[in-house]
Amino acid sequence: MAGGIVIDRPGRQRSRRLTGLRGDNAAMAAELTDVLRQTRLLSSVPGADLAQLAGASRVRVFRRGQVVCTMGDPGDTLIVVISGRVKVAIRSADGGELTLAVIGPGGTIGEVSVADGGPRSADAETLEDSQLLLVPREPVRDTCARVPAAGQALTTIVAATLRRLTDATADLVFLDLPRRVAKVLLSQPRDGDGVISPPLTQEQLARQAAGSRQSVNAALQGFERRGWITINGRAVTVRQPQLLARFAGNLGAGRLSGVGAVEQRLTAQQLGIAARLGCQPLHDRAASMTSAGTRLPA
């Protein structure tokens, strides 16, 4: 591939050309092609087209806590998470934060920008050391136009985003904080014993449920008293998913527990739609919503 593949490290003035993540340039190109093949958007694209996209892309290495992009930045790349995790969030002027998504390996950020060319509508920040693949928007869009299955995948992803936004908006408007906390717990990936992994801090949970840490802690203690969950340090184990799901809104526990984290959580693009709908930052009104909402059953 002309020019090879570039790996950038933010914070340094000059990028370094490396021979590969694990080997020579050809091996790296094959690895990045496979990374693209694992995404929902590009899984059906022929190998030759994926190789071209890989050749036009950049790998960027981020340390934990580094900013990937901010609201208003040009949406000129599709971001693919190779390793690590990226938090997508919206922040208010007074420093409040609502986490919309946590994207892990194989997940993507920016499908809606691929479709409409709009700017970034959320902040993205790494939760741990991460490698991200930045794929230029125009080649991705051209590929979706030429490959019908990829075009259909883009349409499906955008439609799914709208559906998830509808569900999330309804939750934020109609559910009190304990029920929102229950839904967030059920949306997390769990092992065979029901342990949420990777673990969430109460602050992270509060930012996903749009509440204060103190209110989230009270909800968790209520769930634990009823035997629905157990808490050991940061480790939370879901013991009674059916009861927790019933409390959250009569949802089947299988629907929530069997879906991957990327599919179940809000994606970054939903933020732009929410902003256009004029959604108010909810962390400021979480306490009032909780006090007016339904209490946990005695």
Side-chain angles (χ1 to χ4, degrees):
M1 281 166 220
I5 299 172
V6 178
I7 297 187
D8 293 338
R9 284 174 170 77
R12 300 182 183 180
Q13 291 191 352
R14 187 175 61 181
S15 301
R16 283 202 299 156
R17 291 184 186 275
L18 301 185
T19 56
L21 296 175
R22 296 193 313 265
D24 59 20
N25 197 60
M28 182 179 181
E31 184 172 357
L32 295 184
T33 298
D34 188 59
V35 167
L36 294 174
R37 186 177 290 112
Q38 300 303 314
T39 66
R40 283 184 62 195
L41 179 60
L42 302 170
S43 61
S44 60
V45 173
D49 292 313
L50 290 179
Q52 289 184 351
L53 289 175
S57 304
R58 292 181 299 150
V59 175
R60 296 194 68 182
V61 179
F62 289 82
R63 297 185 302 275
R64 179 177 180 270
Q66 283 195 291
V67 174
V68 177
C69 62
T70 59
M71 181 184 297
D73 287 348
D76 53 5
T77 58
L78 178 74
I79 302 173
V80 183
V81 179
I82 300 174
S83 64
R85 292 183 298 147
V86 178
K87 173 182 68 175
V88 179
I90 183 171
R91 294 180 173 90
S92 66
D94 63 359
E97 179 181 309
L98 175 64
T99 298
L100 299 181
V102 176
I103 310 299
T108 54
I109 301 170
E111 292 93 343
V112 171
S113 291
V114 169
D116 70 1
R120 303 291 184 201
S121 50
D123 298 338
E125 178 184 314
T126 55
L127 291 174
E128 55 195 55
D129 292 349
S130 302
Q131 287 183 323
L132 308 180
L133 182 64
L134 309 185
V135 191
R137 171 185 174 270
E138 290 303 327
V140 176
R141 187 174 185 180
D142 291 345
T143 299
C144 291
R146 287 186 294 101
V147 181
Q152 181 60 50
L154 180 60
T155 301
T156 300
I157 290 169
V158 173
T161 298
L162 290 171
R163 290 182 183 276
R164 289 195 297 270
L165 175 62
T166 301
D167 290 342
T169 302
D171 290 348
L172 292 169
V173 172
F174 298 118
L175 296 185
D176 56 19
L177 180 62
R179 285 182 168 82
R180 297 201 304 273
V181 172
K183 291 192 73 171
V184 172
L185 291 176
L186 289 169
S187 74
Q188 305 304 305
R190 309 195 296 272
D191 64 20
D193 295 324
V195 180
I196 291 175
S197 179
L200 288 174
T201 66
Q202 289 190 12
E203 185 67 27
Q204 291 171 332
L205 183 55
R207 288 173 176 175
Q208 291 195 43
S212 68
R213 188 186 62 80
Q214 294 81 1
S215 297
V216 167
N217 181 57
L220 292 174
Q221 290 180 5
F223 298 160
E224 188 170 34
R225 285 196 301 271
R226 287 154 183 83
W228 299 348
I229 67 172
T230 56
I231 303 173
N232 183 13
R234 287 181 56 191
V236 177
T237 303
V238 177
R239 298 294 186 188
Q240 299 288 342
Q242 295 287 350
L243 295 178
L244 197 61
R246 186 181 303 167
F247 173 76
N250 293 321
L251 295 174
R255 173 189 167 192
L256 290 170
S257 63
V259 181
V262 173
E263 292 297 319
Q264 192 61 39
R265 297 173 189 154
L266 299 178
T267 61
Q269 293 75 35
Q270 290 173 286
L271 177 60
I273 302 170
R276 295 184 186 103
L277 290 174
C279 291
Q280 173 187 355
L282 292 164
H283 68 281
D284 293 329
R285 60 189 178 97
S288 62
M289 289 179 65
T290 303
S291 62
T294 305
R295 295 180 179 274
L296 285 172

